[in-house]
Amino acid sequence: MQNATLLAMAGLFALQSATGAVGQEIKRHAVHLQHEARTAYTVQTVSVRAGCFPERLRAILSHIAAKTGRRPVITSGHRPHPRRHGSLHGKCLAADIRMPGLSERTIIAAARSAPGIGGIGTYCNGIVHVDVGPQRRWVDC
């Protein structure tokens, strides 16, 4: 009888520990989702630098997300050593984005209607560039 009681208590302890661990995991996941809900974009990889985006650029990305119903995926943000001299990526004022499942035309239309939009460029690989610099358009294909 004493063994049965000890076994039952051990089972309850194990169950309590397991549900506690699951609860902690759910809390961590909820915090991650809350953070994602606050951002209007996601980054393609952890190496993409987007933390320095000014509010103007974040507003453009939010506008694009609102217009299309999808969050842009940032493929390139701040580049400390940009490939082209004068690139706004070097000043953290530009983002290259893609939005799987949406046409380039849809992304560009949403970007054009964004308040404060500067440059909009397109590349052959489906990437769209948006920035807060002077207004200009280009196709690099």
Side-chain angles (χ1 to χ4, degrees), residues 76 79 87-89 93-97 107-108 111 117-123 126-132 136 138:
S76 181
R79 296 183 201 143
S87 168
L88 292 178
H89 284 283
L93 299 175
D96 291 340
I97 63 173
I107 300 167
I108 292 167
I117 188 70
I120 301 173
T122 57
Y123 303 101
I127 302 289
V128 176
H129 170 102
V130 294
D131 67 48
V132 293
R136 63 212 185 285
W138 73 89

Side-chain angles (χ1 to χ4, degrees), residues 53-71:
F53 286 168
E55 180 56 37
R56 299 176 298 164
L57 184 54
R58 289 193 313 264
I60 289 167
L61 295 167
S62 293
H63 179 86
I64 293 169
K67 284 286 192 180
T68 62
R70 297 189 188 183
R71 290 190 312 174

Side-chain angles (χ1 to χ4, degrees), residues 22-135:
V22 169
Q24 290 297 324
E25 182 60 29
I26 289 171
K27 286 179 186 174
R28 271 193 295 268
H29 186 67
V31 168
H32 179 70
L33 289 177
Q34 286 173 352
H35 173 71
E36 281 187 9
R38 281 185 253 141
T39 59
Y41 56 86
T42 187
V43 293
Q44 181 172 304
T45 65
V46 294
S47 63
V48 173
R49 298 177 180 187
C52 59
F53 286 168
E55 180 56 37
R56 299 176 298 164
L57 184 54
R58 289 193 313 264
I60 289 167
L61 295 167
S62 293
H63 179 86
I64 293 169
K67 284 286 192 180
T68 62
R70 297 189 188 183
R71 290 190 312 174
V73 176
I74 309 297
T75 62
S76 181
H78 178 242
R79 296 183 201 143
H81 307 290
R83 295 176 206 133
R84 293 184 178 168
H85 179 72
S87 168
L88 292 178
H89 284 283
K91 297 175 183 174
C92 203
L93 299 175
D96 291 340
I97 63 173
R98 64 180 179 82
M99 299 177 78
L102 292 181
S103 70
E104 219 175 84
R105 176 177 278 169
T106 301
I107 300 167
I108 292 167
R112 278 189 179 144
S113 67
I117 188 70
I120 301 173
T122 57
Y123 303 101
C124 294
N125 59 3
I127 302 289
V128 176
H129 170 102
V130 294
D131 67 48
V132 293
Q135 284 195 349

